[in-house]
Amino acid sequence: MFVINKDSFLLNVMTTLYKEDIIMYMSKMFIPTLREAPNDADIASHKLMIRAGLVRNLVSGVYNYLPLGIRVIENIKAIIREELDNKDAQEILCSALQPKELWEESGRWSDYGKEMFRLKDRNEREFCLGPTHEEIFTNIVRKEITSYKQLPINLYQIQTKYRDERRPRFGLLRTREFVMKDAYSFDRDEAGLDKSYKDMYDAYSRIFDRCALEWKAVLADTGAIGGTGSHQFMALSDIGESDILYCTNCDYAADREKAEFMLDTADDAEAEKPFEKIHTPNFATIEEVGKFLNEPTNKIVKSVVVRVGDRIILALIRGDRELNIVKLCNALGTIEEYIQMASESDIEAIGSVPGYIGPIGLKNAEILVDSELTHLKNFYTGANEKDYHLKNVNYGRDFTGKVVDLASASEGDKCPVCGKPMKMERGIEVGQVFKLGTKYSKPMQCNYLDENGKSNPMLMGCYGIGVTRILSAIIEQHHDDNGIIWPMSVAPYKVIVVPVNVKNEEQLNAAKQIYETIKQNGIDAILDDRDERAGVKFKDADLIGIPLRITVGKKIGEGIVEFKKRNESKINEISTDSLLEQVNKAIALN
Ligand code: ATP
Ligand code: MG
């Protein structure tokens, strides 16, 4: 029998605090692990969160969270709460059900598009399931806060959001129902807003560090939320849906939707040549035309025709560039959902031919010109006539249009700040902060009275974190072939105690005692008391990713157990006397 040394910590704790807690015995717990991931699980984190029994899918983009999943989410929430509370933000909780009227006040009921889940009550009153809560928080504050003396204030909630995403996918990365932490700050002036924004930026930095994410903060477009400035926090990952451009020399970093680049001005010196029409039979793509003309694609202009309602728009960019949809939306003052590719008849209606579109001689079309083209000399465009292109076209001399930024930056483009080449990496957007200014406070009349009794609109900021998305992002960054490797800070349990043979009373009892002791010291632990082969239990422990494993086997008679960290392959034999110290040390190291 395993006899506990009288001086050992085990006995002390056991006699004072022992309490049977059946729930953390694995034989009784609801952890439905799977050997194989379902076919529709598309990325590592998605497969692992299903296999490890964290979540189950209900319908596309909607998940149910099981015990292990909930524990991780609660740990992430606790970190968020601590860091926000440290910055004097205060937690509230709002309803997901939001009345249309508030969204009409802000002007977003029609702007938000199909992503918004809309519904009616029994009296035909319209509601939405909140995709975000600017209107609701603004409404709360405008009713309750009237004086400069009550400002600044920063309110947040951790709550469920609904967005009818076009393509829900990647497990919890893009769902239609998800948990978000959203915060909203209200200040008297710009200086106050700057401080609130910086506080949140700093809190976010600490939150993502504590969640053990490798991340980068990047300049971001403000999108449908609106406002004057924004950063996104990106967890770096090849499966991320965002492209990040960052400078290799200075600290410029931006989402590709937003990223700018320094334009080449070398062509300015080139003289403008007379333009000519050339025959380009059956060569409709930029690459084909370039090959045929023996010219690089950066000498040919790409023409993209789109329709927004009744407007037909020709967007022009250099042939080797990609049209940036977000920049196009900003130039047109619309959202992506309202932009359609022009049909053949649209193209005919503006006096052109598909494949041979160009700006010269077009009728009834708005022309948007990427600013890069104003530096380019003697380029090619379509001639608006089948099988013909125009050579030596020059902006200003041959056509004009509204000059805007339309092209996406790419790897190797020059940093807009210092001119050194930029690199591109993929990221998962785990959070975003916005300076909203008066975008909501003005239309919704969220005002305060200053010292002189004058009414002013409050300056707002809003700050979101994708709580459930973080869970996926952490797994994406912390896993191996055997399963999840939870960082200590968010692990559902920090320690798993595995008796090798539960039929051996000595082993089982010792394992129970060790488990209880660890728990009584405030450390989350589970005991794998299942009557399974040790190999099976080790596999499950690895799959569910518990950071520390204590194996109680034959040597328990000598007071020896095995101690293994999930992120190391080494197994150490240690004495039960030093066990708690080792566990505490491993936890503190993380
Ligand atoms: P995305 O560009 O990925 O669609 P977003 O910019 O629309 O996200 P925000 O409005 O900034 O999202 O929401 C705040 C945070 O909520 C995001 O940074 C992200 O972490 C999370 N989030 C947004 N949409 C989803 C979703 N469909 N599923 C899970 N998390 C999401
Ligand atoms: Mg965002």
Side-chain angles (χ1 to χ4, degrees):
M1 268 299 279
F2 168 51
V3 182
I4 297 166
N5 177 337
K6 260 199 180 158
D7 302 329
S8 84
F9 72 91
L10 285 169
L11 189 63
N12 293 335
V13 176
M14 302 290 295
T15 47
T16 51
L17 292 169
Y18 185 83
K19 188 173 140 258
E20 183 84 356
D21 187 350
I22 206 92
I23 290 303
M24 306 315 164
Y25 282 19
M26 255 176 104
S27 60
K28 305 275 195 305
M29 289 169 75
F30 183 44
I31 307 178
T33 56
L34 300 173
R35 244 179 254 282
E36 299 287 334
N39 288 337
D40 62 345
D42 34 24
I43 53 169
S45 59
H46 188 185
K47 290 181 180 144
L48 287 173
M49 68 176 63
I50 305 271
R51 287 191 53 213
L54 303 179
V55 296
R56 287 293 182 258
N57 186 240
L58 179 63
V59 289
S60 170
V62 181
Y63 283 84
N64 294 323
Y65 303 95
L66 307 188
L68 285 187
I70 286 287
R71 288 187 72 93
V72 177
I73 289 170
E74 289 304 321
N75 288 339
I76 297 170
K77 286 183 182 174
I79 292 174
I80 293 174
R81 286 194 170 103
E82 257 180 57
E83 295 301 335
L84 292 187
D85 293 352
N86 262 336
K87 298 291 184 189
D88 295 330
Q90 298 173 64
E91 185 168 359
I92 66 171
L93 181 59
C94 297
S95 166
L97 203 56
Q98 305 185 4
K100 175 186 176 185
E101 294 77 24
L102 285 178
W103 287 77
E104 281 184 324
E105 275 192 57
S106 70
R108 287 208 295 179
W109 184 257
S110 56
D111 279 0
Y112 217 92
K114 287 190 179 157
E115 241 184 48
M116 186 187 259
F117 277 104
R118 297 163 203 255
L119 63 162
K120 286 184 184 162
D121 72 9
R122 63 176 72 204
N123 300 314
E124 295 290 303
R125 185 172 173 190
E126 291 187 80
F127 290 84
C128 70
L129 291 177
T132 176
H133 275 70
E134 282 75 15
E135 284 78 1
I136 303 295
F137 276 66
T138 307
N139 182 51
I140 290 175
V141 169
R142 73 176 170 184
K143 284 184 169 161
E144 312 298 335
I145 305 244
T146 50
S147 160
Y148 71 94
K149 290 180 195 152
Q150 297 163 289
L151 295 177
I153 189 163
N154 186 338
L155 301 175
Y156 75 94
Q157 65 175 345
I158 300 179
Q159 186 262 4
T160 306
K161 297 282 183 278
Y162 296 86
R163 294 184 184 180
D164 197 358
E165 297 275 356
R166 196 196 308 242
R167 270 188 82 193
R169 60 186 183 148
F170 292 167
L172 300 186
L173 283 183
R174 186 164 298 283
T175 50
R176 299 197 295 167
E177 183 194 73
F178 59 96
V179 179
M180 193 202 285
K181 184 288 299 173
D182 45 332
Y184 304 83
S185 67
F186 299 81
D187 274 280
R188 303 176 57 181
D189 50 27
E190 290 283 349
L193 171 57
D194 287 349
K195 165 142 193 340
S196 297
Y197 187 84
K198 182 170 185 312
D199 276 352
M200 285 300 104
Y201 186 105
D202 292 346
Y204 276 36
S205 304
R206 284 188 53 84
I207 290 164
F208 299 125
D209 278 347
R210 287 182 63 187
C211 288
L213 287 171
E214 195 193 335
W215 60 272
K216 250 189 181 20
V218 305
L219 290 168
D221 187 74
T222 46
I225 305 264
T228 54
S230 176
H231 284 88
Q232 280 162 339
F233 291 77
M234 301 287 195
L236 302 179
S237 165
D238 288 343
I239 58 91
E241 295 180 289
S242 307
D243 287 315
I244 304 162
L245 280 131
Y246 63 96
C247 181
T248 48
N249 180 55
C250 72
D251 59 6
Y252 182 80
D255 187 296
R256 196 174 189 212
E257 291 178 344
K258 166 89 178 170
E260 296 171 17
F261 53 95
M262 206 178 263
L263 298 175
D264 282 327
T265 51
D267 279 4
D268 282 348
E270 195 179 318
E272 293 182 355
K273 298 178 190 161
F275 90 66
E276 31 180 308
K277 193 158 117 182
I278 43 173
H279 194 217
T280 49
N282 299 318
F283 298 119
T285 70
I286 297 269
E287 285 70 26
E288 285 167 357
V289 175
K291 239 185 185 162
F292 176 72
L293 298 170
N294 203 18
E295 291 278 14
T297 49
N298 64 13
K299 270 291 196 188
I300 304 166
V301 164
K302 197 186 277 183
S303 300
V304 182
V305 185
V306 296
R307 173 188 268 283
V308 179
D310 293 337
R311 300 160 71 189
I312 298 188
I313 300 111
L314 169 67
L316 300 170
I317 55 167
R318 217 172 70 176
D320 59 332
R321 296 273 180 212
E322 279 172 50
L323 180 65
N324 184 314
I325 291 294
V326 172
K327 291 181 179 179
L328 179 67
C329 287
N330 292 342
L332 294 174
T334 188
I335 58 171
E336 193 175 339
E337 204 174 298
Y338 297 144
I339 297 185
Q340 291 173 301
M341 289 309 287
S343 65
E344 248 185 80
S345 60
D346 288 337
I347 292 171
E348 278 158 21
I350 58 170
S352 191
V353 189
Y356 297 90
I357 305 163
I360 300 175
L362 224 51
K363 299 177 297 192
N364 304 325
E366 295 171 45
I367 300 181
L368 295 181
V369 183
D370 181 54
S371 45
E372 193 168 30
L373 299 186
T374 65
H375 294 284
L376 199 64
K377 290 281 161 70
N378 305 318
F379 46 83
Y380 294 84
T381 68
N384 296 321
E385 186 179 330
K386 185 161 166 43
D387 293 344
Y388 285 94
H389 275 78
L390 297 175
K391 185 179 176 178
N392 297 332
V393 177
N394 287 283
Y395 173 78
R397 185 192 71 179
D398 304 323
F399 71 97
T400 55
K402 189 173 164 198
V403 178
V404 287
D405 183 13
L406 287 180
S408 287
S410 295
E411 170 121 0
D413 282 336
K414 291 180 195 157
C415 166
V417 178
C418 74
K420 290 284 180 312
M422 292 191 285
K423 275 197 169 312
M424 196 154 88
E425 243 182 277
R426 297 199 143 251
I428 298 166
E429 184 200 316
V430 283
Q432 185 160 11
V433 291
F434 295 85
K435 281 185 190 173
L436 295 172
T438 56
K439 170 153 168 101
Y440 296 89
S441 51
K442 264 200 179 143
M444 294 186 66
Q445 294 175 29
C446 180
N447 301 324
Y448 71 96
L449 292 175
D450 66 18
E451 291 94 325
N452 306 315
K454 184 170 166 276
S455 177
N456 301 294
M458 294 182 202
L459 282 123
M460 289 174 58
C462 77
Y463 317 93
I465 289 185
V467 177
T468 38
R469 185 180 281 186
I470 288 181
L471 183 144
S472 277
I474 293 174
I475 301 177
E476 231 11 86
Q477 289 190 359
H478 298 270
H479 72 269
D480 63 12
D481 291 345
N482 298 323
I484 302 168
I485 306 174
W486 287 117
M488 200 62 86
S489 57
V490 299
Y493 296 96
K494 292 184 168 66
V495 181
I496 183 164
V497 183
V498 184
V500 171
N501 177 3
V502 291
K503 294 204 176 98
N504 178 313
E505 230 173 82
E506 182 187 25
Q507 285 181 24
L508 182 62
N509 287 338
K512 281 183 179 172
Q513 284 190 2
I514 289 168
Y515 156 81
E516 287 299 340
T517 305
I518 288 170
K519 281 197 62 174
Q520 302 306 343
N521 276 272
I523 299 163
D524 289 332
I526 40 178
L527 176 79
D528 193 350
D529 62 330
R530 294 174 304 163
D531 186 10
E532 292 279 1
R533 280 184 298 116
V536 171
K537 297 203 269 195
F538 293 161
K539 264 205 155 70
D540 274 348
D542 280 355
L543 175 62
I544 64 176
I546 308 301
L548 305 175
R549 189 180 85 199
I550 295 164
T551 307
V552 182
K554 286 193 182 114
K555 288 199 179 167
I556 194 63
E558 303 158 41
I560 304 271
V561 293
E562 280 178 11
F563 185 62
K564 182 182 177 299
K565 295 182 181 170
R566 174 65 180 87
N567 60 1
E568 290 177 8
S569 53
K570 196 171 66 199
I571 298 175
N572 288 321
E573 288 196 337
I574 59 171
S575 120
T576 49
D577 287 346
S578 68
L579 192 53
L580 189 60
E581 192 191 321
Q582 295 289 338
V583 168
N584 277 325
K585 214 162 105 188
I587 291 172
L589 276 179
N590 278 266

